Amino acid sequence: MPDLRTRAIFAALMSLMMSVIMSGWITWLNIGFQPNYADRWLHAFLAAWPAAFVSVMLIAPTVQRLTQRVSAALR
């Protein structure tokens, strides 16, 4: 299990990347490339990133353990 600092850095980077991609994609699906797309995307991103960070911090250890079990079972 990685230390807390490593987990926090991982969570920050993973949640940043996923929030950028998903908020951009969902904003595009909802409004298309309108003149206010960037403003709407930024609003969605700023709302999503904190939630994504907390989710990754809480869920990543469980997903890592599950991944190890599934990987071991498939050997």
Side-chain angles (χ1 to χ4, degrees), residues 6-54:
T6 302
R7 282 184 52 209
I9 293 169
F10 172 80
L13 294 173
M14 179 62 78
S15 63
L16 171 70
M17 290 181 219
M18 292 301 298
S19 295
V20 165
I21 293 166
M22 295 306 296
S23 61
W25 178 253
I26 298 301
T27 301
W28 176 78
L29 287 176
N30 285 326
I31 67 168
F33 286 119
Q34 301 293 322
N36 65 342
Y37 173 83
D39 292 334
R40 301 278 299 269
W41 165 80
L42 182 59
H43 178 77
F45 166 74
L46 292 174
W49 193 15
F53 176 80
V54 171

Side-chain angles (χ1 to χ4, degrees), residues 15 23 44 49 57 63-64 69 73:
S15 63
S23 61
W49 193 15
M57 280 295 288
V63 172
Q64 289 169 342
R69 288 182 188 161

